[in-house]
Amino acid sequence: MKIIKKIANAAILSSAPSVVFAQETAELSGANTAWILTSTALVLFMTLPGLSLFYGGLVRTKNVLSVLMQCFAIAAVISVLWLIVGYSIAFGPSESAYWGGLSKALFSGITVDSLAGDIPESVFATFQMTFAIITPALMVGAFVERIKFSSMLLFSTLWTLLVYFPVANWVWGGGWLQQMGDRLRGRHGRACHGRRRRTRHGSLSRPSHGLSHCTNDAAQPDNEFHRRRHALGGLVRIQCR
Amino acid sequence: MSFTGAGMLWVGWFGFNAGSALAADGSAGMAMLVTHLSAATGAVTWMAIEWIKYGKPSGLGAITGMVAGLATITPASGSVGPAAALLVGLSGGVVCYFCTTYLKQKMRIDDSLDVFPVHGVGGIVGTLLAGVLVSSDLGIFSGNGLAEGMTIGSQLFIQAFGIVVVALFTFVLTFGLLKLVSALTGGIRVSAEEEQIGLDIVDHDEKGYSM
């Protein structure tokens, strides 16, 4: 009897997320989609050419091209990495609190109809990609004029893979840091917020965006949004002496 | 060139912070407003410090102050109000300014373009300030209000804990990766001679400028 109960419970638990997900993502918001499309362009614009020019202008003329090249190459490589495993590790649906698994590798299962919250998942994934790009590009400023191109590219790739993607999961993708923030706020409800893309933030004062990392949720200062990117991107440079 | 890039960063940052609301709503609007105010305050602050200290404000100082203001407001952009953005930009400008001087001259850390003192320190300051300025009991400087059951103290604890955890993880992995990459590519740094020549020629066999 106990066993049956357990199995039943497990079944309820495992099916709960998809139910919640389905409810939340029923409708696409054109207004929100338009704004995130715009923002995606703006954030990519920060790297190409914003940051490239910003850094390029700060170095000596004999190094200008190398800086532009570093930012550009990072944008290209990280985009491909994001497609292959990045999005999945950061925002995939795994039950682990430490990474998102590989089930969305190569954007598996993402079609024109997939929604993330009330915007298309393709838009969400692209928007997040631009953040993954600018983070290693930001680091370039610490080692311009000094580093080998090959070392830079290899380091940026590995760093994004092993540091950025997992930390993005912890903080915005429903990972352990995000869960801890919720716990401290006394909103436990494990079953319904075991993993990402639930109503976790929805219990706050405004309707959830359906995604677990909306920085602008009212009263969510610990949402650690970009602070990570900056703190992170920054901390690394101390290493690059 | 740097001014062009800095201007693009300023504008692009609207997408960075206001887009992170993942919706076209009041949060996005407020995030954009505070982002802009903090960037402006950061630039003014940095210029003012240089003016007082050296008698002249520099162009580099103005854009660095702007970036410091942006980096500092970013973690707080979803939580604070417009008047608080002024405080955020001001703190970012002052703290980052002195960190830049200190880290470079006292600790002798080689960070070509001051990335850590501006973005790293700015991000940390902003993250901590978010925990305070989110409170709705601060009069004109009030933010969106703390979540139920939270106090400024407990919120600050979460903020600090997050910073420490991510800093540690990042530090350790980055250190290891740099060692690994260094071994794989025969040292990450180019030779002194190659530095003299410049990386345009050394790495790409092209020249950005022929002067």
Side-chain angles (χ1 to χ4, degrees), chain A residues 146 206 226-227 237 239, chain B residues 25 74 110 115 127 171 196:
Chain A
R146 292 148 175 69
R206 62 203 285 273
H226 331 278
R227 143 224 335 178
R237 342 197 133 118
Q239 288 286 317
Chain B
D25 59 7
T74 297
D110 182 8
V115 181
T127 303
F171 187 86
Q196 274 298 319

Side-chain angles (χ1 to χ4, degrees), chain B residues 87-156:
Chain B
L87 295 184
V88 174
L90 186 70
S91 330
V94 172
V95 177
C96 294
Y97 179 87
F98 288 105
C99 278
T100 304
T101 323
Y102 179 77
L103 285 174
K104 254 208 159 133
Q105 288 168 8
K106 297 277 161 50
M107 288 176 71
R108 303 178 62 79
I109 288 174
D110 182 8
D111 179 344
S112 326
L113 307 180
D114 298 326
V115 181
F116 180 76
V118 173
H119 294 270
V121 173
I124 291 169
V125 169
T127 303
L128 293 174
L129 280 177
V132 178
L133 294 173
V134 66
S135 167
S136 49
D137 305 324
L138 301 172
I140 185 75
F141 298 112
S142 294
N144 292 340
L146 289 153
E148 236 180 273
M150 297 297 285
T151 62
I152 289 181
S154 61
Q155 188 66 59
L156 263 178

Side-chain angles (χ1 to χ4, degrees), chain A residues 31-32 35-36 39 42-43 45-47 49-70 118-119 124 127-128 131 134 138-152 154-155 158-159 162-163 166-167 170-171 176-177 180-181 184-185 204 206 209 211 213-241, chain B residues 1-2 4-6 8-9 11-25 27-28 31-32 60 63-64 67 70-71 74-75 77-79 103 107 109-116 119-120 123-124 127 130-131 134 144-150 155 157-159 161-163 165-167 169-171 173-175 177-178 180-181 184-190 195-201 203-204 206-209 211:
Chain A
N32 292 346
W35 170 235
I36 302 308
S39 293
L42 282 171
V43 181
F45 188 64
M46 285 172 74
T47 309
L51 196 69
S52 316
L53 288 173
F54 180 69
Y55 284 163
L58 295 175
V59 300
R60 288 165 292 181
T61 47
K62 61 185 175 184
N63 293 309
V64 174
L65 186 82
S66 75
V67 175
L68 303 182
M69 181 64 179
Q70 286 170 0
D118 57 7
I119 61 173
F124 173 70
F127 178 63
Q128 291 297 335
F131 287 82
I134 198 166
L138 206 60
M139 278 188 245
V140 162
F143 43 61
V144 289
E145 300 193 315
R146 292 148 175 69
I147 198 167
K148 282 183 195 162
F149 186 68
S150 56
S151 306
M152 183 284 301
L154 184 63
F155 172 74
L158 291 175
W159 188 88
L162 299 176
V163 181
V167 175
W170 301 352
V171 180
W176 69 280
L177 278 174
M180 194 188 79
L184 282 174
R185 253 181 249 112
L204 285 170
R206 62 203 285 273
H209 296 305
L211 285 161
H213 47 73
C214 327
T215 198
N216 293 317
D217 263 358
Q220 289 263 324
D222 64 320
N223 208 330
E224 359 240 289
F225 203 67
H226 331 278
R227 143 224 335 178
R228 283 305 147 231
R229 293 171 212 245
H230 293 289
L232 260 191
L235 281 162
V236 82
R237 342 197 133 118
I238 212 168
Q239 288 286 317
C240 310
R241 296 162 222 190
Chain B
M1 190 167 177
S2 287
T4 317
M8 290 170 178
L9 282 175
V11 172
W13 227 290
F14 289 165
F16 199 101
N17 287 352
S20 295
L22 288 177
D25 59 7
S27 290
M32 190 184 277
L60 176 62
I63 54 178
T64 308
V67 174
L70 287 168
T74 297
S77 61
S79 326
L103 285 174
M107 288 176 71
I109 288 174
D110 182 8
D111 179 344
S112 326
L113 307 180
D114 298 326
V115 181
F116 180 76
H119 294 270
I124 291 169
T127 303
V134 66
N144 292 340
L146 289 153
E148 236 180 273
M150 297 297 285
Q155 188 66 59
F157 169 76
I158 300 185
Q159 306 292 92
F161 181 81
I163 293 171
V165 167
V166 176
F169 177 78
T170 310
F171 187 86
L173 255 84
T174 304
F175 192 81
L177 275 179
L178 282 171
L180 175 73
V181 171
L184 287 175
T185 56
I188 55 173
R189 189 165 185 153
V190 297
E195 259 184 67
Q196 274 298 319
I197 300 168
L199 297 188
D200 284 8
I201 294 290
D203 275 340
H204 310 293
E206 286 173 304
K207 263 179 142 178
Y209 294 96
M211 293 191 199

Side-chain angles (χ1 to χ4, degrees), chain A residues 190-209:
Chain A
R190 269 215 153 266
C192 72
H193 92 206
R195 284 308 288 166
R196 78 209 67 255
R197 215 155 275 162
R198 291 319 122 56
T199 50
R200 189 173 306 136
H201 287 187
S203 54
L204 285 170
S205 54
R206 62 203 285 273
S208 169
H209 296 305

Side-chain angles (χ1 to χ4, degrees), chain A residues 21 25 28 104 109-116 119-123:
Chain A
F21 184 68
T25 59
L28 178 134
K104 289 205 171 175
I110 299 182
T111 66
V112 284
D113 298 320
S114 312
L115 290 183
I119 61 173
E121 190 167 5
S122 58
V123 175

